[in-house]
Amino acid sequence: MSAAFENGDAPVAVVTGASAGVGRAIAVAFAQRGYRVALLARSPEGLEGAFAEVSQLGGEAFELIADVSKPDDVFAAAEAVVARWGRIHVWVNDAMETVVGPVDMITPEEYRRVTEVTYLGVVHGTLAALRHMRPRDEGHIIQIGSALAYRAIPLQSAYCAAKFAIRGFTDSLRAELLHDNSRIRLTMVQLPGVNTPQFDWSHMHFDRRHQPIGEVYEPEAVARAVVEAVQAWRAPRELWLGAPTVQSIIGQMFAPVFLDRYLARNAYEQQISNDPVRPGDPDELLGPDHHDHGARGRFSAAAKDSLIAVDPAYLRGGAVVAGIGLLAGAYLWGRASRAASRKTLM
């Protein structure tokens, strides 16, 4: 990105789901770093709010109404960005929808809509980005994932399944890019609970509103980590944000049965708040809400402003070193024991 700045040509970032929540915070964070930012979302009011925020920072924004579940919308938006600014340096796939309820209460239509937005929206965005990044053999695609891409929880089967699918799709693409010796960078960022308006517009099969469980973080903390990953010399394959994400993923690797039982006891009722769902409350699954919700939700009193960002490549390297150390220690201990035994026999 430094070359683009040196030439006086500010780099271009495209962010889906940019009207609110994490996407909104990421768009603003890129603007703060001098990027031109294309804002994609369904909500005109939310896009206008995001545009105003970027503009107040002195940034250059381009708002585009698009439903990521419709590939033609996404491809047309990408074409418009390139027609305006010449290229796309970064594409962030963030748009999502969720339904909260037991598996057999969620309708086939609801499963389809969550899949179309949360999973296929990422596919469509990635295909659009590749159309313009492949010819230049450059660019960085960011998939906004979740700890739930590794460890599913009760009541969010549609959303968890979509996040699992994103991880599989991304890993396949990564192998293909490596096969082609492509210089396009690809990172999946796994998120913890984040204080966004998502919890106000989740489609509920309960009469009370959705809430996060465990520690929750402000979206700006996530946004800073995303921008830093883009600007890093070596793009991380994955980035795990927040201690709960690291704990969930590692716990799933080593103790999935324990987590099944733990989540059955601790992640069901805790997702349902005491706030009643009222007539007229926003429900993004049914259509865009005509309000500007901003980046933050209603949990700022408990949300943390900073988080750890862990590249699991270093964790794996540390595990290998620790494993070698344990084996070496066991070997040396065994030799010492055998030597002591021989001395005793003598």
Side-chain angles (χ1 to χ4, degrees):
M1 297 306 171
S2 58
F5 279 112
E6 288 167 7
N7 295 332
D9 182 18
V12 175
V14 179
V15 183
T16 72
S19 61
V22 169
R24 173 84 160 252
I26 289 172
V28 170
F30 273 117
Q32 289 172 325
R33 300 291 182 96
Y35 285 69
R36 293 171 288 181
V37 187
L39 312 163
L40 272 64
R42 292 183 302 160
S43 166
E45 293 79 7
L47 283 174
E48 288 171 8
F51 182 92
E53 260 194 274
V54 170
S55 299
Q56 287 168 6
L57 293 168
E60 188 176 354
F62 184 19
E63 53 184 308
L64 294 153
I65 295 176
D67 183 338
V68 296
S69 71
K70 299 175 180 177
D72 289 346
D73 277 18
V74 182
F75 297 152
E79 293 287 347
V81 172
V82 172
R84 180 166 182 162
W85 288 330
R87 66 180 67 182
I88 297 169
H89 297 89
V90 182
W91 186 290
V92 181
N93 286 308
D94 172 71
M96 56 74 67
E97 297 288 359
T98 192
V99 175
V100 180
V103 165
D104 51 357
M105 288 182 67
I106 300 173
T107 68
E109 293 75 19
E110 290 167 352
Y111 275 111
R112 183 175 62 249
R113 181 59 184 168
V114 171
T115 303
E116 286 173 345
V117 175
T118 307
Y119 169 54
L120 291 179
V122 167
V123 174
H124 300 156
T126 302
L127 293 176
L130 290 172
R131 281 189 180 186
H132 299 283
M133 292 179 179
R134 282 281 199 183
R136 295 180 176 275
D137 194 28
E138 66 176 8
H140 196 159
I141 300 170
I142 299 283
Q143 319 289 40
I144 299 300
S146 169
L148 305 186
Y150 282 88
R151 174 63 245 187
I153 62 174
L155 301 183
Q156 292 204 60
S157 55
Y159 180 77
C160 292
K163 290 297 185 181
F164 269 73
I166 294 168
R167 187 159 64 92
F169 168 76
T170 301
D171 287 350
S172 290
L173 173 58
R174 184 180 292 107
E176 292 175 11
L177 293 174
L178 289 169
H179 171 270
D180 298 339
N181 293 315
S182 173
R183 294 190 301 166
I184 296 171
R185 297 164 19 132
L186 181 63
T187 301
M188 188 166 181
V189 183
Q190 313 297 9
L191 269 55
V194 185
N195 175 35
T196 71
Q198 163 200 342
F199 297 98
D200 293 335
W201 66 53
S202 300
H203 187 74
M204 300 298 292
H205 282 274
F206 297 90
D207 60 5
R208 288 167 292 150
R209 292 201 289 178
H210 192 196
Q211 67 180 7
I213 53 176
E215 291 182 347
V216 64
Y217 298 86
E218 295 291 16
E220 292 83 3
V222 171
R224 288 192 296 270
V226 169
V227 175
E228 287 168 8
V230 168
Q231 295 187 324
W233 176 79
R234 185 191 67 82
R237 179 183 187 277
E238 280 196 9
L239 201 60
W240 299 349
L241 301 186
T245 298
V246 178
Q247 293 164 357
S248 295
I249 295 173
I250 292 177
Q252 176 63 15
M253 291 175 178
F254 291 99
V257 175
F258 168 78
L259 281 182
D260 289 343
R261 297 183 181 281
Y262 176 82
L263 292 168
R265 291 193 304 269
N266 297 285
Y268 197 101
E269 289 81 3
Q270 286 82 347
Q271 291 186 69
I272 312 305
S273 75
N274 293 322
D275 300 326
V277 174
R278 297 182 175 88
D281 279 355
D283 188 332
E284 288 284 318
L285 195 73
L286 304 179
D289 180 56
H290 297 292
H291 295 88
D292 177 19
H293 292 280
R296 293 187 176 189
R298 65 183 193 275
F299 304 102
S300 285
K304 297 184 176 182
D305 290 317
S306 62
L307 45 67
I308 60 168
V310 175
D311 182 341
Y314 294 111
L315 286 182
R316 294 184 189 103
V320 169
V321 171
I324 292 172
L326 287 171
L327 289 172
Y331 172 73
L332 292 172
W333 180 84
R335 284 190 60 182
S337 297
R338 288 192 295 273
S341 297
R342 285 196 295 270
K343 286 181 180 180
T344 302
L345 291 172
M346 291 172 64

